[in-house]
């Protein structure tokens, strides 16, 4: 049956309209309806898709912006809902399976689905219980198997640090072509490029080891991704113990040459005799986004502001879905974490920087609040714990991992437009080129790094153990 859009007028009762939304970015769904509340009285149902609030379309809006609309509605709000498509609690939690906004997915449900797909490939014809009464033939079962059909990694230097590109990344096809691991790392600070290089080198070693299992990221996504980030973190921290004796840090209108000197508190520090700044203790890092593609799922983990964009076919209602969170000193959740857990150790500046209170490292103000590395800024609240998403890839056209040099200049929909109908290499080139061309201040053009994965989907059906396949056009 066709869905319909219906306006519902709700009255605020106390401080609530009696409903809870689900989703990080539109589309949003009604997850809960408070018993006896205003939404319940108006017959708002769990699973309804919220299309408009007070006549304003929500397409492309974040959850934070949508909540502000609700808060600013006063005593009355008009919700325009798409009904006649009731979603179960599982479907709400695994909305990616239905082509909706990515949310944290219950592992047990997805684990059972994955196990179901794997078992279908192992099934053999069943033996009839009785020769006189043969068992009825099993109904055909459908599996969608997703593989990476095309991929490309590209990193393009910007103007901010002259010829120095502090980004890095990789795309590794593993397990005989049945799985893929891709990543983008964006270094920052003196030796930031060394952090990104160490992360790439370590990731390649991990995923090509005989003990690595991509399937673990589907059955235990948070545990597996956290363990991977722990290993990457250890590698980047280890790099702090071997800084070069001299280091040249270029910029658009300047270049500093530093020499490694002894430091009374931190052991070693970089110093430039011509620079009035105090010696710089060894402390650097990189933001990170990692994607593990296995069977028909992708597990994404990120720390910092590098992004993962799931790109759907052009005729999809939501052609681009952000699978990552932004961790910086302007995000409300991260600011609350710093103020709650690191009071007295760090402050948030009015212009959105994390500022350590230790005078010896006070010069290291950073925007990011989560990343790999930064042995000293750990004491000011920087952590490497990743945000993790597990998403089904059914019908997805491509996945883009990119540094903020791209995501700061191009909206998710713009990113999807450049890759959905293009070869991976052409899409990657267009993203880097356009992001740098669109930068308003050409003196501040950032490094741009991207991995583009294009997917093919295969419908695998089995009847009594005999497999047939038909590829989607």
């Amino acid at each position: 049956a066709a869905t319909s859009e219906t306006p519902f007028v709700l009255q605020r009762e106390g401080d609530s309209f009696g409903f809870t939304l689900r989703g990080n970015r539109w589309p949003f769904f009604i997850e809960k309806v408070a018993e006896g509340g205003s939404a319940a009285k108006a017959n708002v149902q769990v699973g309804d898709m919220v299309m408009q609030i007070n006549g304003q379309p929500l397409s492309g809006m974040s959850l934070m912006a949508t909540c502000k609309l609700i808060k600013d509605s006063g005593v009355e709000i008009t919700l325009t809902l798409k009904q006649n498509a009731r979603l179960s609690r599982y479907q709400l939690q695994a909305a990616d399976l239905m082509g909706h906004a990515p949310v944290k997915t219950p592992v047990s449900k997805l684990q059972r689905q994955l196990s179901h797909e794997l078992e279908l490939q192992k099934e053999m014809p069943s033996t009839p219980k009785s020769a006189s009464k043969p068992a009825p033939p099993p109904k055909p079962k459908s599996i969608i198997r997703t593989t990476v059909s095309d991929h490309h990694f590209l990193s393009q230097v910007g103007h901010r640090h002259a010829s120095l590109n502090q980004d890095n990344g990789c795309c590794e096809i593993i397990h005989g072509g049945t799985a893929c691991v891709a990543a983008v790392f964006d270094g920052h600070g003196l030796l930031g490029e060394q952090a990104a290089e160490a992360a790439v080198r370590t990731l390649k070693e991990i995923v090509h080891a005989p003990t690595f299992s991509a399937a673990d990221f589907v059955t235990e996504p948070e545990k597996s991704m956290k363990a991977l980030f722990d290993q990457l973190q250890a590698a980047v921290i280890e790099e702090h113990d071997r800084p070069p004796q001299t280091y040249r840090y270029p910029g658009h209108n300047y270049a500093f040459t530093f020499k490694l000197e002894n430091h009374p508190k931190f052991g070693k520090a970089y110093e430039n005799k011509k620079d009035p700044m105090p010696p710089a203790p060894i402390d650097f890092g990189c933001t990170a986004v990692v994607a593990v593609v296995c069977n028909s799922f992708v597990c994404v983990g990120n720390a910092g502001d590098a992004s993962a964009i799931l790109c759907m076919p052009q005729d999809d209602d939501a052609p681009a879905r952000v699978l990552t969170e932004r961790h910086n000193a302007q995000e409300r959740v991260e600011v609350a974490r710093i103020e709650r857990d690191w009071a007295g150790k760090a402050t948030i500046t009015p212009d959105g920087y994390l500022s350590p209170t230790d005078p010896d490292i006070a010069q290291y103000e950073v925007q990011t609040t989560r990343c790999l590395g930064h042995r000293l800024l750990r004491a000011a609240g920087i952590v490497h714990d990743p945000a993790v998403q597990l998403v089904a890839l059914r019908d997805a056209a491509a996945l883009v991992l990119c540094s903020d040099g791209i995501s700061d200049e191009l909206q998710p929909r713009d990113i999807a437009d450049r890759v959905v109908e293009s070869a991976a290499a052409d899409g990657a080139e267009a993203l880097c080129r356009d992001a740098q061309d669109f930068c308003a201040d050409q003196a501040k053009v950032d490094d741009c790094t991207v991995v583009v994965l294009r997917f093919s989907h295969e419908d695998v059906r089995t009847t009594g153990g005999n497999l047939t396949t038909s590829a989607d056009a």
Side-chain angles (χ1 to χ4, degrees):
T3 57
S4 61
E5 295 184 12
T6 307
F8 290 78
V9 179
L10 310 182
Q11 303 298 319
R12 188 187 295 273
E13 297 180 357
D15 59 353
S16 172
F17 290 106
F19 66 89
T20 302
L21 291 181
R22 182 68 163 185
N24 296 328
R25 186 170 290 275
W26 190 87
F28 301 109
F29 297 88
I30 301 295
E31 182 187 31
K32 296 179 182 178
V33 176
E35 185 176 353
S38 181
K41 295 173 183 176
N43 201 31
V44 173
Q45 301 290 322
V46 170
D48 289 349
M49 183 190 296
V50 185
M51 307 301 294
Q52 299 180 15
I53 291 180
N54 298 331
Q56 178 172 335
L58 301 184
S59 178
M61 290 186 64
S62 67
L63 180 60
M64 184 178 297
T66 303
C67 289
K68 187 176 187 303
L69 278 181
I70 297 172
K71 182 179 179 181
D72 294 343
S73 294
V75 297
E76 183 178 279
I77 188 171
T78 300
L79 301 181
T80 302
L81 305 178
K82 180 176 284 189
Q83 297 194 299
N84 198 27
R86 303 285 181 241
L87 301 183
S88 67
R89 181 174 179 82
Y90 165 55
Q91 289 171 319
L92 283 171
Q93 292 177 318
D96 46 88
L97 295 173
M98 305 293 292
H100 301 143
V103 296
K104 290 195 173 181
T105 311
V107 176
S108 59
K109 294 282 188 179
L110 291 178
Q111 183 177 0
R112 286 197 290 272
Q113 180 173 341
L114 174 64
S115 300
H116 169 69
E117 293 184 355
L118 296 177
E119 288 302 318
L120 284 177
Q121 300 174 42
K122 300 176 184 177
E123 286 181 358
M124 298 299 291
S126 58
T127 302
K129 295 182 180 179
S130 169
S132 61
K133 190 177 181 181
K139 295 181 180 180
K141 301 174 182 178
S142 179
I143 316 166
I144 300 299
R145 179 186 297 152
T146 302
T147 55
V148 176
S149 58
D150 187 17
H151 60 90
H152 192 72
F153 163 71
L154 180 64
S155 187
Q156 192 164 296
V157 67
H159 301 161
R160 185 175 295 179
H161 306 298
S163 60
L164 176 63
N165 185 351
Q166 293 194 303
D167 289 1
N168 214 319
C170 63
C171 181
E172 305 297 306
I173 303 298
I174 59 173
H175 297 350
T178 62
C180 174
V181 178
V184 167
F185 303 102
D186 184 350
H188 47 264
L190 302 183
L191 299 178
E193 69 280 6
Q194 191 166 315
E197 291 170 5
V200 169
R201 181 176 65 249
T202 303
L203 182 63
K204 290 182 177 181
E205 293 172 355
I206 292 170
V207 303
H208 288 292
T211 55
F212 182 79
S213 172
D216 290 346
F217 288 77
V218 177
T219 57
E220 297 182 292
E222 295 207 12
K223 177 181 177 181
S224 300
M225 190 62 74
K226 186 179 185 306
L228 177 60
F229 269 65
D230 286 345
Q231 292 176 280
L232 298 176
Q233 169 69 2
V236 176
I237 290 297
E238 189 176 332
E239 289 296 308
H240 285 61
D241 294 328
R242 40 176 177 263
Q245 287 298 312
T246 59
Y247 180 73
R248 186 175 184 273
Y249 190 72
H252 187 67
N253 295 315
Y254 63 89
F256 293 122
T257 299
F258 295 90
K259 184 178 180 181
L260 198 63
E261 303 285 355
N262 292 326
H263 190 280
K265 182 174 181 179
F266 300 113
K268 296 289 184 180
Y270 277 125
E271 188 172 358
N272 183 342
K273 300 295 186 181
K274 299 179 181 179
D275 183 22
M277 292 292 288
I282 307 304
D283 194 71
F284 54 91
C286 63
T287 62
V289 57
V290 179
V292 180
V293 177
C294 181
N295 295 291
S296 300
F297 298 87
V298 61
C299 179
V300 175
N302 83 288
D305 52 13
S307 300
I309 313 296
L310 190 65
C311 306
M312 306 303 290
Q314 289 186 334
D315 59 353
D316 194 88
D317 290 339
R321 297 156 199 178
V322 180
L323 305 184
T324 44
E325 298 178 5
R326 294 183 72 86
H327 304 129
N328 59 48
Q330 294 179 335
E331 295 295 325
R332 183 175 59 183
V333 173
E334 287 298 288
V335 171
R337 179 180 67 83
I338 298 298
E339 293 177 344
R340 180 187 67 245
D341 300 338
W342 299 92
K345 301 292 185 180
T347 59
I348 304 297
T349 67
D351 54 345
Y353 281 79
L354 175 69
S355 178
T357 57
D358 184 341
D360 290 315
I361 57 173
Q363 60 184 297
Y364 288 146
E365 290 186 350
V366 292
Q367 288 182 312
T368 186
T369 53
R370 298 192 188 211
C371 64
L372 301 174
H374 284 300
R375 182 161 60 185
L376 299 181
L377 288 182
R378 300 280 126 186
I382 286 188
V383 296
H384 67 277
D385 298 332
V388 181
Q389 293 276 3
L390 178 64
V391 178
L393 292 173
R394 188 182 185 102
D395 297 331
L399 178 70
V400 172
L401 307 183
C402 61
S403 62
D404 64 338
I406 292 176
S407 58
D408 282 353
E409 300 298 335
L410 300 175
Q411 294 298 313
R413 183 184 292 268
D414 300 325
I415 291 174
D417 287 345
R418 285 161 174 78
V419 302
V420 166
E421 299 295 331
S422 304
D426 294 337
E429 183 178 351
L431 289 172
C432 290
R433 179 191 64 240
D434 291 349
Q436 293 187 333
D437 286 348
F438 291 171
C439 184
D441 186 348
Q442 286 295 299
K444 296 182 179 179
V445 170
D446 203 356
D447 303 330
C448 288
T449 300
V450 62
V451 174
V452 177
L453 306 179
R454 288 186 54 81
F455 301 121
S456 63
H457 305 281
E458 195 175 39
D459 188 2
V460 182
R461 292 180 174 86
T462 178
T463 302
N466 298 317
L467 292 177
T468 61
T469 64
S470 59
D472 292 346

